[in-house]
Each structure stands twice: as structure tokens, then as C-alpha cells.
Amino acid sequence: MSRRLETQYDRHPIEYSLWLTPEEGMAAARQFRDTIDDLAATHEDAVVFEFHITVVGGIDGDRTALTETTQLLAAETDPLAVTFGDVRCSTTRHQCVF
């Protein structure tokens, strides 16, 4: 009788999130990347991260099926214009902003 080893994924299934990100090469993408890098360089223990807007989180399911569905959704959706105010930072390590 063989026994499969339990992994971290058995106890905590993988969850995915759907993000909006600026298209590479756009001025907004460069501006956000530069701002994040600059702020991270001036704040101790800051984490550099990919700029994004989380549309929805906590999605579970087959990765291939989720990828295909997301690609279909993206192909059927017109580009979205987003306007941002001032960029700010805080000492909060992880922050959910509504």
C-alpha cells in the first residue's frame, strides 16, 4: 500500500485573484513601477510589488480552466480607463484598500 505525502496545498488549496494591470510600455506602467521602486528604496523593509488593481480574489478551481475563462473575458471586454489620485504610502505591511 502506498501512501501519498500531504502537502501544504492539501491543507490550504491554492486561490487565485483577478488583477487589472497597465499594459507594458504604457506611460502609466512606467510611472507606477518608478513610484513603487522609489518608495521602496526610502522605506525600510518595504516590499517591491507589481502594481495592480484586484478585481476579485479567493477564486479556486482548475488553473487551466480559470486561465481560459479569464482570457475569453479579456478578449470580450473593451479597454478600461482608470483615473488615479495622488500616490501615497503607509507603514502598513499589507493593505486592502476599498
Side-chain angles (χ1 to χ4, degrees), residues 10 13 18-19 32 38 46 53 69 76 78 82 85 95:
D10 294 323
L18 180 61
W19 289 359
F32 282 114
D38 290 346
I53 299 171
T69 301
E76 296 287 326
D78 291 330
V82 178
Q95 187 171 358

Side-chain angles (χ1 to χ4, degrees), residues 9 15 20 22 26 31 34-35 40-41 45 54-55 69 78 85 87:
Y9 303 112
E15 290 186 348
L20 292 179
M26 291 183 66
Q31 181 182 5
D34 291 347
T35 300
D45 296 330
T54 303
V55 176
T69 301
D78 291 330
V87 175

Side-chain angles (χ1 to χ4, degrees), residues 32-89:
F32 282 114
R33 167 58 48 214
D34 291 347
T35 300
I36 291 167
D37 290 346
D38 290 346
L39 289 171
T42 60
H43 295 276
E44 188 176 326
D45 296 330
V47 177
V48 175
F49 60 94
E50 181 181 352
F51 168 75
H52 64 278
I53 299 171
T54 303
V55 176
V56 64
I59 304 169
D60 61 0
D62 176 69
R63 182 181 176 137
T64 302
L66 292 171
T67 299
E68 290 172 359
T69 301
T70 302
Q71 289 172 338
L72 286 172
L73 176 64
E76 296 287 326
T77 304
D78 291 330
L80 178 66
V82 178
T83 304
F84 296 96
D86 294 333
V87 175
R88 298 184 190 120
C89 68

